[in-house]
Amino acid sequence: MNKINYSIISAITFFIVWEALGRYINKGYILPTPLNIIKKIWILKESLFMTHLPVTFLIAGISLILTMGLGIFLASAMDLSKIIYNCIHPLIVTSQTIPITALAPIFILWFGYSIWSKIIVSVMISFFPVTITIYNGLQNINQSELDYFKSLKATKTQIFFKLKIPTALPNLFSAFKMSIPLVLIGAAIGEWLGATAGLGYFSKRMMSQLDGAGVFAPIFILSSLAILLVRLIGYLENKILHWRKK
């Protein structure tokens, strides 16, 4: 039995247990069943998919581009210079100790209810693991290969582009796959804290109505979207890095 079958069996088991537990509790505002959530998505499909999902997807898309760009830039800068590493790394770590819920109102004060306040929240949540993952990939080079490049009198720039970047490609794809669910979560959190549209805003509105299925409906959609996108990146990774041994 392959991994795909194992994952399907575990997912089916999880939802069966959830369905049974939800029916046993029998309080939809506490724990709605998966079937009730699916029914809610179908009933509200026009509002969810035509109004709120595009807003969240736009925020997550811009956040993903900024996160990957910032992560690659910071990781490359830290790799090229130990001084830059010593200056930037503590700031990156410190940025993760500040609660996003404390910063979000400030971002809303600065940028209002525009998408940029949500984008900043999303990038703040996602850029740290992306940066560290890419940096570790740039550092994880074979010493014998590095010595060979140095014996050929290769410059730091040549070593970076011809040795380190190809070596770090698996980490780059890992960072990409890691950032997708993080930017979606960040977008939803930003919308939850202050927005006029989006899946996070929709979930918050349903909570005020004690509609458990309505609260979980955007979560179902975001989770499904994240799984599909991560699998797509995984497929592209296997095609591009076909030379890599499994």
Side-chain angles (χ1 to χ4, degrees):
M1 186 178 293
N2 56 39
K3 292 181 180 180
I4 296 179
N5 289 335
Y6 277 123
S7 64
I8 292 174
I9 290 173
S10 62
I12 292 174
T13 303
F14 172 76
F15 284 113
I16 289 175
V17 172
W18 182 355
E19 182 74 25
L21 185 60
R23 290 177 181 271
Y24 175 78
I25 295 176
N26 197 28
K27 293 181 179 179
Y29 61 91
I30 295 178
L31 184 65
T33 65
L35 288 178
N36 285 336
I37 296 171
I38 293 173
K39 289 178 183 177
K40 179 66 68 172
I41 292 174
W42 176 255
I43 293 172
L44 301 175
K45 60 182 181 297
E46 184 174 350
S47 176
L48 284 168
F49 291 102
M50 301 303 294
T51 301
H52 297 288
L53 178 59
V55 174
T56 302
F57 195 75
L58 175 62
I59 294 170
I62 297 174
S63 300
L64 180 62
I65 294 172
L66 293 178
T67 294
M68 292 302 299
L70 183 61
I72 292 171
F73 173 77
L74 292 177
S76 301
M78 290 192 296
D79 176 75
L80 291 171
S81 172
K82 194 66 177 177
I83 296 176
I84 295 178
Y85 173 87
N86 292 331
C87 292
I88 293 179
H89 189 264
L91 296 177
I92 295 174
V93 174
T94 302
S95 70
Q96 301 304 298
T97 64
I98 305 173
I100 292 298
T101 52
L103 291 177
I106 298 176
F107 297 149
I108 293 173
L109 181 64
W110 289 348
F111 300 98
Y113 288 101
S114 68
I115 65 172
W116 292 107
S117 59
K118 272 70 76 177
I119 288 172
I120 293 176
V121 170
S122 185
V123 172
M124 285 286 292
I125 290 175
S126 56
F127 90 96
F128 174 75
V130 168
T131 302
I132 298 302
T133 299
I134 297 174
Y135 173 75
N136 288 338
L138 293 172
Q139 290 287 300
N140 189 29
I141 57 176
N142 189 292
Q143 186 60 43
S144 61
E145 293 179 348
L146 179 60
D147 293 338
Y148 176 71
F149 269 72
K150 288 182 178 179
S151 69
L152 296 176
K153 300 186 184 302
T155 64
K156 282 188 176 182
T157 302
Q158 290 173 326
I159 292 174
F160 180 80
F161 283 102
K162 295 185 178 181
L163 175 61
K164 290 191 173 184
I165 287 184
T167 302
L169 279 178
N171 288 68
L172 181 63
F173 277 102
S174 296
F176 213 141
K177 289 185 286 186
M178 185 188 307
S179 66
I180 288 174
L182 289 176
V183 296
L184 288 171
I185 292 170
I189 291 175
E191 292 167 348
W192 182 283
L193 295 173
T196 57
L199 292 178
Y201 164 79
F202 181 89
S203 182
K204 183 179 181 179
R205 193 179 70 184
M206 291 297 102
M207 175 171 281
S208 66
Q209 300 174 13
L210 296 180
D211 187 342
V215 172
F216 274 83
I219 298 174
F220 254 50
I221 295 172
L222 287 174
S223 298
S224 301
L225 182 61
I227 291 172
L228 289 174
L229 291 175
V230 169
R231 288 193 172 274
L232 174 61
I233 298 301
Y235 173 80
L236 295 176
E237 179 183 10
N238 290 332
K239 289 294 183 180
I240 295 173
L241 304 183
H242 56 84
W243 45 265
R244 188 177 57 173
K245 293 182 179 179
K246 301 297 182 181

